[in-house]
Amino acid sequence: MTLSARHWTINKKLAALVGSLGFLALIAANPYKGSRLELNGRELSEIVQKEVDHVSAEELAGWIIQGKSDYRLVDLRNEKDFAEYHIPTAENLAITSLQEGSLARNDKIVLYSDGGIHSAQAWFLLKSNQFKGVYILSGGLDEWKDKILFPRLNDNASPTEIAAFEKAKLVSKFFGGIPQVGGNVASGIPKLAMPKLESPGAGQPKAGPAKKKKEGC
């Protein structure tokens, strides 16, 4: 049975956007009024293939724990969903407002949505408008829930998996998550209450000193 687009990897979504005729309609309806899209199909295809445009949930969690501030984390969902829960340090921007002046072309930008196609669309549009450091959170918010908030130790886990889970537990608790034990991750992302929106790591020791934001890089 063919999987629906909802289950595609980000790479498949990007490849579909780069190669599909349907995406030409998105270019024609460019939300950046008055701007000109400059496309390099070969370069974009190589980026998609090599996955150099991805940031993993674990990597992003590490940046937040360390207090890094040299990136812009952009949540592309609607205001209601953003208000209910968002990844710490995220700012809420619609795709149509990405180039209204709040983002600079030399910013390091990490995009995410629920895991759907919006982050792929936003990545494509920013890259086409000469934004250099644009990345997608692999798996979006769905993977953040799965890997960071609600990591699961499956039944019959190996010693290596148990050791990795012990580390994941610490990260999960830092972000107010609830580590899960037993069952199988294939059953899907646990439908648990999302953490309250407050400073991550409250009451816990910091993993590292906060780094001053670099200017002009």
Side-chain angles (χ1 to χ4, degrees):
M1 183 175 65
T2 303
L3 291 176
S4 67
R6 186 171 65 88
H7 299 287
W8 288 5
T9 64
I10 286 294
N11 267 26
K12 287 183 178 179
K13 292 170 184 175
L14 285 174
L17 287 180
V18 172
S20 68
L21 291 176
F23 193 73
L24 293 178
L26 179 60
I27 297 174
N30 178 20
Y32 306 152
K33 295 180 180 179
S35 67
R36 178 182 177 183
L37 295 179
E38 297 181 6
L39 307 179
N40 185 325
R42 177 175 296 180
E43 179 183 356
L44 292 178
S45 297
E46 288 178 355
I47 290 173
V48 171
Q49 181 66 30
K50 296 177 181 178
E51 298 188 7
V52 297
D53 58 322
H54 291 55
V55 172
S56 70
E58 294 90 342
E59 187 176 6
L60 176 60
W63 294 352
I64 297 171
I65 292 172
Q66 294 167 29
K68 288 189 174 182
S69 57
D70 60 346
Y71 65 93
R72 303 281 297 275
L73 180 61
V74 177
D75 186 320
L76 297 163
R77 298 173 303 146
N78 61 52
E79 292 182 3
K80 178 178 180 294
D81 290 342
F82 179 83
E84 290 176 353
Y85 178 81
H86 56 264
I87 298 173
T89 74
E91 53 192 295
N92 192 206
L93 293 174
I95 291 179
T96 52
S97 65
L98 288 179
Q99 208 185 29
E100 291 181 353
S102 63
L103 297 175
R105 283 183 169 79
N106 60 349
D107 280 338
K108 181 178 182 179
I109 303 166
V110 181
L111 306 163
Y112 79 88
S113 54
D114 282 317
I117 204 166
H118 288 105
S119 54
Q121 290 175 329
W123 175 91
F124 190 96
L125 288 169
L126 288 175
K127 292 295 292 185
S128 299
N129 278 272
Q130 307 305 308
F131 283 76
K132 304 300 182 182
V134 186
Y135 303 85
I136 292 174
L137 178 63
S138 295
L141 188 60
D142 287 344
E143 188 155 328
W144 178 265
K145 296 176 186 177
D146 190 18
K147 298 290 183 65
I148 305 302
L149 297 181
F150 310 124
R152 178 178 294 275
L153 181 66
N154 294 336
D155 294 329
N156 303 316
S158 68
T160 300
E161 291 171 332
I162 293 173
F165 181 71
E166 290 302 313
K167 294 180 180 179
K169 282 170 57 178
L170 297 177
V171 174
S172 174
K173 292 178 179 178
F174 182 91
F175 289 99
I178 306 174
Q180 305 292 295
V181 177
N184 195 305
V185 72
S187 61
I189 299 171
K191 294 182 179 180
L192 300 173
M194 299 298 288
K196 294 181 179 180
L197 289 173
E198 55 185 55
S199 298
Q204 298 190 35
K206 293 183 179 180
K211 296 187 177 180
K212 184 179 179 180
K213 183 176 181 179
K214 296 179 181 179
E215 300 294 340
C217 62

